[in-house]
Amino acid sequence: MPREIYPVVVKATAIEQIKDGQPLLSKELFQKTNHLKEAGALLRLTTEDKEYLATGYFGKQEKGIGWLLSTDELQDIDETFFKEKIEAALDRRNDFFENDLIDTFRVFNGSGDGIGGLTIDCFDHHYLITFENEGIYSFKADIVSALESLIHFKSIYEKRAFQIDGQPVKGDDFLAGERGDFPEVLQENGIPLLYHLDAGMRTGLDIQQRELRSVVKEHAADRRVLNLFSDTGTLTAAALLGGATETTSVDFSTRSRNKTIEQLELHQLDATTQTILVQDAFDYIDQADKKTRFDFVIVHPPTFVKTQARHFRAEVDLPALIQQTIHMTHRGGLLLITTDCPLFDQARFMKMVDQAFKKLRQTYEIVWESTPLEDFPEHTSLKETASKSVLVRRK
């Protein structure tokens, strides 16, 4: 069945953006979008005079209604198109495939590799395709076929990070190969780590934290470490492997506690000698008294929280949270702040950190600042979507 093609007229003020390859398509770029209905339909972007500009696809996400695919009018959006894009991305990851110290990395990073809404991760030759919207999911058959033709794989799994009629999409994550016996273990810079690919949306291992784990391990020796929003505890494990004297991990879910215990037991670390709290990290911070001090504080808050008891938006509330964690850090201690918020870039993030210290009339020095990961390229117009981190020493 032929794919629906919608003509879409680009506003005069946005024509140059489209010609320059602006990947994210928002309704503000177009004269009219209410005729767009079918997820995965192709969009023929033109000027008011019918001059061709680009081809995209319709797929609603948090920040837009679709993504640009090509500025070549003769380009067919088919399996060959996806194969060429994925093959080019694989070629750019040759150093990762040849690195025996790293078993997990991102193979394809959305618009940074030419197809917004699509990511592919490698977990020791188990591959995970994540479809960020219903539109890109409609190309699933072509994408999976293209990937199968290009790689040697143990298995291929999928995650669908979108909802239909307000409900998460459920179904078997397994697509091809032989099912993994999860949890499985992989290596990351000499650190064994557990991961799952068949347990819902969560893998248990955030591969974007690869450098964070190395940084924590490098600086944790002889320090009491507090890991806030600790998730599956990989940073806690890194701290203990780096020689931390004790750790406190705080996260609201029982799952987080169980996964943290799993990670520690993998390294023959006695979880019963560490503090692992099932508690809202925001509450822990609010309730901390003046004597609650650590030598090394790690804080990785969610981008957005809205409950009856709490409303947190990183782009607004992160500076105040940083101030609170400064109070929890000994003078001379380390504070690692990291965020995945896609609404500001590294420069604005660093300004937030600076303002938090100045508000408290405190001084600091930068020990380490994150730079874009090679396997997580971003389109030049979407630099703010990258993860941002800094390690500072409170003076």
Side-chain angles (χ1 to χ4, degrees), residues 47-72:
T47 66
E48 197 168 14
D49 296 327
K50 311 292 187 194
E51 175 192 353
Y52 173 84
L53 296 173
T55 301
Y57 77 87
F58 180 55
K60 290 184 178 180
Q61 282 186 223
E62 182 180 356
K63 293 183 65 178
I65 61 169
W67 294 90
L68 186 145
L69 293 173
S70 175
T71 54
D72 180 357

Side-chain angles (χ1 to χ4, degrees), residues 224-245:
R224 293 176 61 246
V225 177
L226 171 63
N227 186 7
L228 297 166
F229 309 97
S230 56
D231 195 32
T232 57
T234 61
L235 294 176
T236 299
L240 289 167
L241 292 171
T245 57

